[in-house]
Coordinates of all heavy atoms in Angstrom, one line a residue:
M1092 N 0.9 -1.2 0.0 CA -0.1 0.0 0.0 C 0.9 1.2 0.0 O 1.8 1.3 0.7 CB -0.9 0.0 1.3 CG -2.0 1.0 1.2 SD -3.4 0.6 0.2 CE -4.3 -0.6 1.3
T1093 N 0.5 2.2 -0.8 CA 1.2 3.5 -0.8 C 0.2 4.5 -1.0 O -1.0 4.3 -1.2 CB 2.3 3.5 -1.9 OG1 3.1 4.7 -1.8 CG2 1.8 3.5 -3.2
M1094 N 0.6 5.8 -0.9 CA -0.2 6.9 -0.9 C 0.2 8.0 -1.9 O 1.3 8.2 -2.0 CB -0.5 7.5 0.5 CG -1.1 6.6 1.5 SD -1.3 7.3 3.0 CE -2.4 8.7 2.6
I1095 N -0.8 8.6 -2.5 CA -0.5 9.7 -3.6 C -1.4 10.9 -3.3 O -2.5 10.7 -2.8 CB -0.5 9.2 -5.0 CG1 -1.8 8.7 -5.3 CG2 0.6 8.2 -5.3 CD1 -2.2 8.8 -6.8
I1096 N -0.9 12.0 -3.8 CA -1.8 13.2 -3.9 C -2.1 13.3 -5.4 O -1.2 13.4 -6.2 CB -1.1 14.4 -3.3 CG1 -1.0 14.2 -1.7 CG2 -2.0 15.7 -3.6 CD1 -0.4 15.4 -1.1
T1097 N -3.3 13.5 -5.8 CA -3.7 13.5 -7.2 C -3.8 14.9 -7.7 O -3.7 15.9 -7.0 CB -5.0 12.7 -7.4 OG1 -6.1 13.6 -6.9 CG2 -5.0 11.4 -6.9
E1098 N -4.0 15.0 -9.0 CA -4.2 16.3 -9.6 C -5.4 17.1 -9.2 O -5.7 18.2 -9.6 CB -4.2 16.2 -11.2 CG -2.7 15.8 -11.7 CD -2.7 15.6 -13.2 OE1 -3.7 15.8 -13.8 OE2 -1.6 15.3 -13.6
D1099 N -6.2 16.4 -8.4 CA -7.4 17.1 -7.8 C -7.1 18.2 -6.7 O -7.9 18.9 -6.3 CB -8.4 16.1 -7.3 CG -9.1 15.3 -8.4 OD1 -9.1 15.8 -9.5 OD2 -9.6 14.2 -8.0
C1100 N -5.8 18.1 -6.3 CA -5.3 18.8 -5.2 C -5.4 20.4 -5.6 O -5.0 20.8 -6.8 CB -3.9 18.5 -4.9 SG -3.0 19.7 -3.9
I1101 N -5.9 21.2 -4.7 CA -6.1 22.7 -5.0 C -5.1 23.4 -4.3 O -5.2 24.7 -4.1 CB -7.6 23.2 -4.8 CG1 -8.0 22.9 -3.3 CG2 -8.5 22.6 -5.8 CD1 -9.1 23.6 -2.9
N1102 N -4.1 22.8 -3.7 CA -3.0 23.5 -3.0 C -3.4 24.3 -1.8 O -2.9 25.4 -1.5 CB -2.3 24.4 -4.0 CG -1.5 23.6 -5.0 OD1 -1.0 22.4 -4.7 ND2 -1.3 24.0 -6.2
C1103 N -4.4 23.7 -1.0 CA -4.9 24.5 0.2 C -3.9 24.4 1.3 O -3.8 25.2 2.3 CB -6.2 24.0 0.6 SG -6.2 22.4 1.4
G1104 N -3.1 23.3 1.3 CA -2.0 23.2 2.4 C -2.5 22.5 3.6 O -1.6 22.3 4.5
A1105 N -3.7 22.1 3.9 CA -4.3 21.7 5.0 C -3.7 20.4 5.4 O -3.3 20.1 6.6 CB -5.8 21.5 4.9
C1106 N -3.4 19.5 4.4 CA -2.9 18.2 4.8 C -1.4 18.3 5.4 O -1.0 17.5 6.3 CB -2.9 17.3 3.5 SG -2.0 18.0 2.1
A1107 N -0.6 19.2 4.8 CA 0.8 19.4 5.2 C 0.8 19.8 6.7 O 1.6 19.3 7.5 CB 1.4 20.4 4.4
V1108 N -0.1 20.7 7.1 CA -0.3 21.1 8.5 C -0.6 20.0 9.4 O -0.1 19.8 10.5 CB -1.2 22.2 8.7 CG1 -1.5 22.6 10.1 CG2 -0.9 23.5 7.8
E1109 N -1.5 19.1 8.9 CA -2.1 17.9 9.8 C -1.0 16.8 9.9 O -1.0 16.1 10.9 CB -3.3 17.4 9.1 CG -4.5 18.1 9.5 CD -4.9 18.1 10.9 OE1 -5.2 17.0 11.4 OE2 -4.9 19.1 11.5
C1110 N -0.2 16.7 9.0 CA 0.7 15.4 8.9 C 1.7 15.3 10.1 O 2.5 16.2 10.3 CB 1.5 15.4 7.6 SG 2.6 14.0 7.5
P1111 N 1.6 14.3 10.8 CA 2.4 14.1 12.1 C 3.9 13.8 11.7 O 4.7 14.0 12.5 CB 1.8 13.0 12.9 CG 1.0 12.2 11.9 CD 0.6 13.2 10.8
T1112 N 4.1 13.4 10.5 CA 5.5 13.0 10.2 C 6.1 14.0 9.2 O 7.3 13.8 8.8 CB 5.6 11.6 9.5 OG1 4.9 11.7 8.3 CG2 5.0 10.5 10.4
E1113 N 5.4 15.1 8.9 CA 6.0 16.1 7.9 C 6.4 15.4 6.7 O 7.4 15.7 6.1 CB 7.2 16.9 8.6 CG 6.7 17.6 9.8 CD 7.8 18.5 10.4 OE1 8.8 18.6 9.8 OE2 7.5 19.1 11.5
A1114 N 5.5 14.5 6.1 CA 5.7 13.9 4.9 C 5.2 14.6 3.7 O 5.3 14.1 2.5 CB 5.1 12.5 4.9
I1115 N 4.5 15.7 3.8 CA 3.8 16.4 2.7 C 4.5 17.7 2.5 O 4.7 18.5 3.5 CB 2.3 16.5 3.1 CG1 1.7 15.2 3.2 CG2 1.6 17.3 1.9 CD1 0.3 15.2 3.6
Y1116 N 4.8 18.0 1.3 CA 5.5 19.2 0.9 C 4.6 20.0 -0.2 O 3.9 19.4 -0.8 CB 6.8 18.9 0.3 CG 7.9 18.3 1.3 CD1 7.8 17.1 1.7 CD2 8.8 19.2 1.8 CE1 8.7 16.5 2.7 CE2 9.8 18.7 2.6 CZ 9.7 17.4 3.1 OH 10.6 16.9 4.0
G1117 N 4.9 21.3 -0.3 CA 4.3 22.1 -1.2 C 4.8 22.0 -2.6 O 6.0 21.4 -2.8
P1118 N 4.1 22.5 -3.7 CA 4.6 22.3 -5.0 C 5.9 23.1 -5.1 O 6.1 24.2 -4.7 CB 3.5 23.0 -5.8 CG 2.7 23.8 -4.8 CD 2.8 23.1 -3.5
G1119 N 6.9 22.4 -5.7 CA 8.2 22.9 -6.1 C 9.1 23.0 -4.8 O 10.3 23.4 -4.8
E1120 N 8.7 22.6 -3.6 CA 9.4 22.6 -2.4 C 10.3 21.3 -2.4 O 9.8 20.2 -2.6 CB 8.5 22.7 -1.2 CG 9.1 23.0 0.1 CD 8.0 22.9 1.2 OE1 6.8 22.7 0.9 OE2 8.5 23.0 2.3
S1121 N 11.5 21.5 -2.0 CA 12.4 20.4 -1.9 C 12.0 19.5 -0.7 O 11.7 20.1 0.3 CB 13.9 20.8 -1.8 OG 14.3 21.5 -2.9
W1122 N 12.1 18.2 -0.7 CA 11.9 17.4 0.4 C 13.2 17.1 1.1 O 14.3 17.1 0.3 CB 11.0 16.2 0.2 CG 11.5 15.2 -0.8 CD1 11.6 15.2 -2.1 CD2 12.0 13.9 -0.4 NE1 11.9 14.2 -2.7 CE2 12.2 13.3 -1.7 CE3 12.2 13.2 0.7 CZ2 12.7 11.9 -1.7 CZ3 12.6 11.9 0.8 CH2 12.9 11.2 -0.5
V1123 N 13.2 16.6 2.2 CA 14.6 16.5 3.0 C 14.6 15.0 3.6 O 13.7 14.6 4.2 CB 14.7 17.5 4.1 CG1 16.0 17.3 4.9 CG2 14.6 18.9 3.6
E1124 N 15.7 14.3 3.3 CA 15.9 13.0 3.9 C 17.4 13.0 4.4 O 18.3 13.3 3.7 CB 15.7 11.9 2.8 CG 15.7 10.6 3.4 CD 15.5 9.5 2.4 OE1 16.1 9.6 1.3 OE2 14.7 8.5 2.8
N1125 N 17.6 12.6 5.6 CA 18.9 12.6 6.2 C 19.6 13.9 6.0 O 20.8 13.8 5.7 CB 19.7 11.4 5.7 CG 19.0 10.2 6.1 OD1 18.3 10.0 7.1 ND2 19.1 9.1 5.2
G1126 N 19.0 15.0 6.2 CA 19.7 16.3 6.0 C 19.9 16.7 4.6 O 20.4 17.8 4.3
K1127 N 19.6 15.8 3.6 CA 19.8 16.2 2.2 C 18.5 16.7 1.6 O 17.4 16.2 1.7 CB 20.2 14.9 1.4 CG 21.7 14.6 1.3 CD 22.0 13.4 0.5 CE 21.6 13.4 -1.0 NZ 22.0 12.2 -1.6
S1128 N 18.7 17.7 0.7 CA 17.7 18.4 0.1 C 17.4 17.7 -1.2 O 18.3 17.6 -2.0 CB 17.9 19.9 -0.1 OG 16.8 20.6 -0.3
L1129 N 16.2 17.2 -1.4 CA 15.9 16.5 -2.7 C 14.9 17.1 -3.6 O 14.1 17.9 -3.2 CB 15.4 15.0 -2.3 CG 16.5 14.3 -1.4 CD1 15.9 13.1 -0.7 CD2 17.7 13.8 -2.3
T1130 N 15.0 16.6 -4.9 CA 14.1 17.2 -5.9 C 12.7 17.2 -5.6 O 12.2 16.0 -5.2 CB 14.5 16.5 -7.3 OG1 15.8 16.6 -7.5 CG2 13.8 17.3 -8.4
P1131 N 11.9 18.2 -5.8 CA 10.5 18.1 -5.5 C 9.8 17.1 -6.4 O 10.2 16.8 -7.6 CB 10.0 19.5 -6.0 CG 11.2 20.4 -5.9 CD 12.3 19.5 -6.1
L1132 N 8.8 16.3 -5.9 CA 8.2 15.3 -6.7 C 7.0 15.9 -7.5 O 6.4 15.3 -8.4 CB 7.6 14.2 -5.7 CG 8.6 13.5 -4.8 CD1 7.9 12.4 -4.0 CD2 9.8 13.0 -5.7
S1133 N 6.7 17.2 -7.2 CA 5.6 17.8 -8.1 C 5.9 19.3 -8.0 O 6.2 19.9 -6.9 CB 4.2 17.5 -7.6 OG 3.4 18.4 -8.3
N1134 N 5.8 20.0 -9.1 CA 5.8 21.4 -9.1 C 4.4 22.1 -9.3 O 4.3 23.3 -9.3 CB 6.7 21.9 -10.3 CG 8.2 21.6 -10.1 OD1 8.7 21.8 -9.0 ND2 8.8 21.1 -11.0
E1135 N 3.4 21.2 -9.4 CA 2.0 21.7 -9.6 C 1.2 21.7 -8.4 O 0.3 22.5 -8.2 CB 1.4 20.8 -10.7 CG 2.3 20.4 -11.9 CD 2.6 21.7 -12.7 OE1 1.8 22.6 -12.8 OE2 3.7 21.7 -13.2
H1136 N 1.4 20.6 -7.5 CA 0.5 20.5 -6.4 C 1.3 19.9 -5.2 O 2.4 19.5 -5.4 CB -0.8 19.6 -6.7 CG -0.4 18.3 -7.4 ND1 0.1 17.3 -6.6 CD2 -0.5 17.8 -8.6 CE1 0.3 16.3 -7.3 NE2 -0.1 16.5 -8.6
F1137 N 0.6 19.9 -4.1 CA 1.3 19.3 -2.9 C 1.6 17.8 -3.2 O 0.9 17.2 -4.0 CB 0.3 19.4 -1.7 CG 0.5 20.8 -0.9 CD1 0.1 22.0 -1.6 CD2 1.1 20.8 0.3 CE1 0.3 23.2 -0.9 CE2 1.2 22.0 0.9 CZ 0.9 23.2 0.4
Y1138 N 2.7 17.4 -2.6 CA 3.0 16.0 -2.9 C 3.4 15.2 -1.5 O 3.7 15.9 -0.5 CB 4.1 15.8 -3.8 CG 5.4 16.4 -3.5 CD1 6.4 15.6 -2.8 CD2 5.8 17.7 -3.6 CE1 7.6 16.1 -2.4 CE2 7.0 18.2 -3.3 CZ 7.9 17.4 -2.6 OH 9.2 17.9 -2.2
L1139 N 3.2 14.0 -1.5 CA 3.5 13.1 -0.3 C 4.6 12.2 -0.5 O 4.8 11.6 -1.6 CB 2.2 12.4 -0.1 CG 1.9 11.5 1.1 CD1 0.5 11.3 1.2 CD2 2.7 10.2 1.1
V1140 N 5.6 12.2 0.4 CA 6.8 11.4 0.3 C 6.5 10.1 1.0 O 6.5 10.1 2.3 CB 8.0 12.1 0.9 CG1 9.3 11.2 0.8 CG2 8.2 13.5 0.2
T1141 N 6.5 8.9 0.3 CA 6.1 7.7 0.9 C 7.2 7.2 1.8 O 7.0 6.5 2.7 CB 5.8 6.7 -0.1 OG1 6.7 6.6 -1.1 CG2 4.4 7.1 -0.9
E1142 N 8.5 7.6 1.5 CA 9.6 7.2 2.4 C 9.4 7.8 3.9 O 10.1 7.3 4.8 CB 10.9 7.7 1.8 CG 11.3 6.9 0.6 CD 10.8 7.6 -0.7 OE1 9.8 8.3 -0.7 OE2 11.5 7.4 -1.7
I1143 N 8.8 8.9 4.0 CA 8.6 9.6 5.3 C 7.3 9.1 6.0 O 7.2 8.9 7.1 CB 8.7 11.0 5.1 CG1 10.0 11.5 4.5 CG2 8.5 11.7 6.5 CD1 10.1 13.0 4.2
C1144 N 6.2 9.1 5.1 CA 4.9 8.8 5.7 C 4.8 7.4 6.3 O 5.3 6.4 5.8 CB 3.9 8.7 4.5 SG 2.3 8.1 4.8
N1145 N 4.2 7.4 7.5 CA 4.1 6.0 8.2 C 2.5 5.7 8.2 O 2.0 4.9 9.1 CB 4.6 6.1 9.5 CG 3.9 7.0 10.5 OD1 2.9 7.6 10.2 ND2 4.5 7.2 11.7
E1146 N 1.8 6.4 7.3 CA 0.3 6.1 7.2 C -0.4 6.3 8.6 O -1.4 5.6 9.0 CB 0.1 4.7 6.6 CG 0.6 4.5 5.2 CD 0.2 3.4 4.4 OE1 -0.8 2.7 4.9 OE2 0.7 3.1 3.4
C1147 N 0.0 7.3 9.2 CA -0.5 7.8 10.5 C -0.6 6.6 11.5 O -1.5 6.5 12.2 CB -2.0 8.4 10.2 SG -1.9 10.1 9.6
S1148 N 0.5 5.9 11.6 CA 0.6 4.8 12.6 C 0.3 5.4 14.0 O 1.0 6.5 14.3 CB 2.0 4.3 12.5 OG 2.3 3.4 13.6
G1149 N -0.5 4.7 14.7 CA -0.8 5.3 16.1 C -2.0 6.1 16.2 O -2.5 6.5 17.3
F1150 N -2.5 6.6 15.0 CA -3.7 7.4 15.0 C -4.9 6.6 14.4 O -4.7 5.7 13.6 CB -3.5 8.7 14.1 CG -2.5 9.6 14.6 CD1 -1.2 9.6 14.2 CD2 -2.9 10.6 15.5 CE1 -0.3 10.5 14.7 CE2 -2.0 11.5 16.1 CZ -0.7 11.4 15.7
K1151 N -6.1 7.0 14.9 CA -7.3 6.2 14.4 C -7.6 6.5 12.9 O -8.1 5.6 12.2 CB -8.5 6.5 15.3 CG -8.4 5.8 16.7 CD -9.8 5.9 17.3 CE -9.6 5.3 18.7 NZ -10.3 6.1 19.8
K1152 N -7.3 7.7 12.5 CA -7.7 8.0 11.1 C -6.4 8.5 10.4 O -5.5 9.0 11.0 CB -8.7 9.2 11.2 CG -10.0 8.8 11.8 CD -11.1 8.7 10.7 CE -12.3 7.9 11.2 NZ -13.2 8.7 12.0
I1153 N -6.5 8.4 9.1 CA -5.5 9.0 8.2 C -5.7 10.4 8.1 O -6.6 10.8 7.5 CB -5.5 8.2 6.9 CG1 -5.4 6.7 6.9 CG2 -4.5 8.9 6.0 CD1 -3.9 6.3 7.1
K1154 N -4.9 11.2 8.8 CA -5.1 12.6 9.0 C -5.3 13.4 7.6 O -6.2 14.2 7.5 CB -4.1 13.2 9.9 CG -4.2 12.8 11.3 CD -3.0 13.3 12.1 CE -3.3 13.2 13.6 NZ -3.9 14.4 14.1
C1155 N -4.3 13.1 6.7 CA -4.4 13.9 5.5 C -5.6 13.6 4.7 O -6.3 14.6 4.1 CB -3.0 13.7 4.7 SG -2.8 12.0 4.3
I1156 N -6.0 12.4 4.6 CA -7.2 12.0 3.8 C -8.4 12.6 4.5 O -9.3 13.2 3.8 CB -7.3 10.5 3.7 CG1 -6.3 9.9 2.8 CG2 -8.7 10.1 3.2 CD1 -6.3 8.4 2.7
K1157 N -8.5 12.6 5.8 CA -9.6 13.1 6.6 C -9.8 14.6 6.3 O -10.9 15.1 6.2 CB -9.4 12.7 8.0 CG -10.7 13.1 8.9 CD -10.6 12.5 10.2 CE -11.8 12.9 11.0 NZ -11.5 13.6 12.2
I1158 N -8.8 15.3 6.2 CA -8.9 16.7 6.2 C -9.0 17.3 4.7 O -9.5 18.4 4.5 CB -7.7 17.5 6.9 CG1 -8.1 18.9 7.3 CG2 -6.4 17.5 6.1 CD1 -7.5 19.4 8.4
C1159 N -8.6 16.6 3.8 CA -8.5 17.0 2.4 C -10.0 17.4 1.8 O -10.8 16.6 1.8 CB -7.9 16.0 1.4 SG -7.8 16.7 -0.3
P1160 N -10.2 18.7 1.5 CA -11.5 19.0 0.9 C -11.8 18.5 -0.5 O -13.0 18.6 -0.8 CB -11.5 20.6 1.0 CG -10.1 20.9 0.8 CD -9.3 19.8 1.5
M1161 N -10.8 18.0 -1.1 CA -11.0 17.7 -2.6 C -10.9 16.2 -2.7 O -11.0 15.6 -3.8 CB -9.9 18.2 -3.4 CG -9.9 19.7 -3.4 SD -11.5 20.4 -3.9 CE -11.5 20.0 -5.7
D1162 N -10.7 15.4 -1.6 CA -10.6 13.9 -1.7 C -9.4 13.6 -2.6 O -9.5 12.7 -3.5 CB -11.9 13.3 -2.1 CG -11.9 11.8 -1.9 OD1 -11.2 11.4 -1.0 OD2 -12.8 11.1 -2.5
A1163 N -8.5 14.4 -2.6 CA -7.3 14.3 -3.6 C -6.1 13.3 -3.1 O -5.2 13.1 -3.8 CB -6.7 15.6 -3.8
I1164 N -6.3 12.7 -1.9 CA -5.2 11.9 -1.3 C -5.8 10.5 -1.4 O -6.9 10.2 -0.8 CB -4.8 12.3 0.1 CG1 -4.5 13.8 0.1 CG2 -3.7 11.4 0.6 CD1 -4.0 14.4 1.4
K1165 N -5.0 9.6 -2.0 CA -5.5 8.3 -2.3 C -4.5 7.2 -1.8 O -3.3 7.4 -1.9 CB -5.7 8.0 -3.8 CG -6.7 9.0 -4.4 CD -8.1 8.7 -4.1 CE -9.0 9.6 -4.9 NZ -10.4 9.7 -4.2
K1166 N -5.1 6.2 -1.3 CA -4.3 5.0 -0.9 C -4.3 4.1 -2.1 O -5.4 3.8 -2.7 CB -4.8 4.2 0.2 CG -4.3 4.6 1.6 CD -4.9 3.7 2.6 CE -3.9 3.7 3.8 NZ -4.2 2.6 4.8
I1167 N -3.1 3.7 -2.7 CA -3.2 2.9 -4.0 C -2.5 1.5 -3.7 O -1.7 1.4 -2.8 CB -2.6 3.6 -5.2 CG1 -1.2 4.1 -4.8 CG2 -3.5 4.7 -5.5 CD1 -0.5 4.6 -6.0
Ligands
LIG762 S1 -1.0 9.3 6.1 FE1 -0.4 10.5 7.9 S2 1.8 10.4 8.0 FE2 1.3 9.9 5.9 S3 1.3 11.7 4.7 FE3 -0.9 11.5 5.5 S4 -1.0 12.6 7.4 FE4 1.2 12.3 7.0
LIG763 S1 -5.6 19.0 1.8 FE1 -6.0 18.1 -0.3 S2 -6.3 19.9 -1.6 FE2 -5.3 20.6 0.3 S3 -3.1 20.7 -0.3 FE3 -3.6 18.7 0.7 S4 -4.1 17.3 -1.0 FE4 -4.2 19.4 -1.8

């Protein structure tokens, strides 16, 4: 199972605020792993880094999916 943010995203930013692991970045924003700055996975919309996301382990609900007004975050 993995998760993605689709093109339905309207860049509201709510999911990034909610994410407990800071796995969600804004369009064109570099993501960071082990102190290294890495190429953005999208320049168009918010994106989710599966290497960082733990699918909200320890929480009852998947926080980003719950808050997204566009239903743009999918488990695939
Ligand atoms: S599932 Fe949870 S940990 Fe993963 S990106 Fe969404 S809010 Fe963050
Ligand atoms: S909450 Fe949904 S619409 Fe808002 S930035 Fe995240 S994925 Fe995009």
Side-chain angles (χ1 to χ4, degrees):
M1092 192 78 81
T1093 186
M1094 293 181 62
I1095 58 156
I1096 295 179
T1097 71
E1098 290 177 359
D1099 290 337
C1100 170
I1101 56 168
N1102 293 329
C1103 75
C1106 55
V1108 174
E1109 280 293 296
C1110 177
T1112 63
E1113 298 182 5
I1115 300 176
Y1116 290 79
E1120 192 183 350
S1121 297
W1122 64 285
V1123 179
E1124 189 179 43
N1125 299 327
K1127 261 180 71 179
S1128 199
L1129 299 163
T1130 308
L1132 303 183
S1133 173
N1134 290 316
E1135 315 299 325
H1136 53 71
F1137 274 68
Y1138 67 89
L1139 188 159
V1140 179
T1141 53
E1142 288 91 333
I1143 301 173
C1144 167
N1145 66 3
E1146 299 191 8
C1147 282
S1148 173
F1150 293 94
K1151 283 194 182 134
K1152 295 260 164 74
I1153 301 282
K1154 286 172 167 272
C1155 56
I1156 290 179
K1157 189 164 175 239
I1158 201 154
C1159 180
M1161 299 303 292
D1162 199 20
I1164 307 176
K1165 303 286 184 199
K1166 272 189 155 191
I1167 55 172

